[in-house]
Amino acid sequence: MSKTASSVWEECLSFIQDNIKPQAYKTWFEPIKPVKLSGEALTIQVPSKFFYEWLEEHYIKLLRVALVKQLGEDAKLIYDVRMENNYSSNNQHTVKIPSSNRNPMVAQGVAFPIDVNKRELKNPFIIPGIQKVKIESQLNPNYNFENFIEGDSNRLARSASMAVSNKPGGTSFNPLLIYGGVGLGKTHLAHAIGVEIKDKYPDKIVLYISSEKFTQQYIDSVKGNSRNDFIHFYQMIDVLLIDDVQFLSGKTGTQDVFFHIFNHLHQNGKQVILTSDKAPVDMQDIEQRLLSRFKWGLSAELQAPDYETRVLILRNKLYRDGVEMPLEIVEYIAKNIKSNVRELEGVLISLIAQASFNRKEFTLALTKQIVDKFVKNTKREVSIEYIQKIVSHYFELDVATLQSKTRKRHIVQARQLAMYFAKRMTKASLASIGSQIGKRDHATVLHACKTVDNLTETDKQFRKYVDDITKKLTF
Ligand code: ADP
Ligand code: MG
């Protein structure tokens, strides 16, 4: 039986598959199509220029062994670089002969890169130039370790971040997942890691990206038929910082592609740093296989800073801005703004702005005004009526049903949730809450609050209800 391009390539593949990791096989060999066999020369079609370079750099020996087995010592390999979205009328493409391997893969050493196809890899982060690829790291130099104040609340996350910066990819903190509530410094730490690595290892390719932007790029790449380029681009990176991965929840396509990129980077000893507003156990709608990867390294929590740390953060910021402020005022702010460093800074900025604008001194009265505004904005009082509306709507009931005497389980749960939120978000007494939610007594409300607390601890689905409704009530 005579050999064909397909039969030769198939034999090569089965040899290659036995010799490399499944992930690498899938990424680099599955997309290849055998196109032509003439004599000892096999032509294979690859989806991009980068792809061809990668094969050359990493797999040429393996390819050679495989090919020689099939076609003998004079085997030649020819790449046909064909962009998927370029099947235009005249079907242009680039033919290349492996440059680094002209000898002995290509007998006469005639390299003829007929570069008819001028389409280059397009990527927003690549700065065109003659040297080796340069990637804009997207780092903010103002977010560094020096101005990230250490406290009990962030000690673990901060030291793990520093360890990773000293030896990217070389610690067991891979991936490093930094998680915590809004405004607690996740983005700051992620940048600090990148900035430090760039400083210590200028040649490393570092990239900071938000999950939102990553998702958008991925969607664009699918639309533009450049999904492979997208993947290959990310697989080149040495240190990948992905911010707010909770944003990937429910986005299965993006999760899938990220899974492959992650595996590739991890297998090759590259460092991955993730941030999230939730611990992995609490992440919703993220594929199990991805979650399990997130847990491979270290998950470090950023907690709300304690009072001393809050004072230090404020004083440090004032010092850097060259502003002097009475300690009494700094302490007042630190005492009243507790759960969010961004707000802490926000109060300071408003205060400085107001005082300089009105040529006023920093006074406690002015500070109180501003702090009040911040506290009010975040803890907008909601009415019990509004809570019942939101909860009913969430469970697709009407308010009358929620208030009715029925003992149907899901209605009882909805009612208990309404009571729980009324207790948590208003100043109303138990008795008053009871009378407004279907004329119940205070003991019933108390029982409802306890039940919700218990269920939140033990029942994942129930916790999701609480989280969802909290979001609806606070935005
Ligand atoms: P997150 O990403 O967790 O929402 P950010 O990293 O954006 O929070 O932090 C919010 C603001 O608080 C930023 O301006 C950041 O510099 C500041 N910040 C947070 N934690 C600290 C800290 N420990 N020391 C100094 N500044 C901090
Ligand atoms: Mg952030």
Side-chain angles (χ1 to χ4, degrees), residues 47-93:
S48 70
K49 186 155 159 280
F50 177 79
F51 203 101
Y52 141 73
E53 286 167 356
W54 188 275
L55 287 173
E56 275 269 277
E57 203 177 310
H58 294 86
Y59 299 111
I60 196 65
K61 281 199 190 118
L62 186 64
L63 274 165
R64 179 178 149 63
V65 176
L67 222 58
V68 166
K69 273 172 98 134
Q70 295 306 310
L71 300 172
E73 274 299 328
D74 289 335
K76 297 185 190 70
L77 182 65
I78 298 171
Y79 296 100
D80 176 350
V81 180
R82 194 178 302 217
M83 308 290 188
E84 279 168 2
N85 48 346
N86 246 47
Y87 289 119
S88 51
S89 49
N90 51 2
N91 209 7
Q92 295 176 330
H93 60 264

Side-chain angles (χ1 to χ4, degrees), residues 142-151 153-154 158 178-191 208 243-244 275-277 302-303 305 309 312-314 316-317 320 340-345 349:
N142 296 324
Y143 285 161
N144 51 46
F145 282 118
E146 214 163 289
N147 59 28
F148 189 84
I149 304 299
E150 183 174 345
S153 56
N154 63 37
R158 190 174 186 277
I178 302 167
Y179 69 94
V182 281
L184 294 182
K186 300 182 294 293
T187 298
H188 187 139
L189 261 188
H191 280 279
Y208 166 89
D243 207 357
D244 290 318
T275 80
S276 163
D277 69 353
L302 282 177
Q303 288 165 337
T309 312
L312 278 180
I313 290 173
L314 288 170
N316 182 264
K317 179 137 182 66
R320 276 186 289 124
N340 185 326
V341 182
R342 191 175 297 132
E343 278 184 9
L344 212 55
E345 292 184 338
I349 293 164

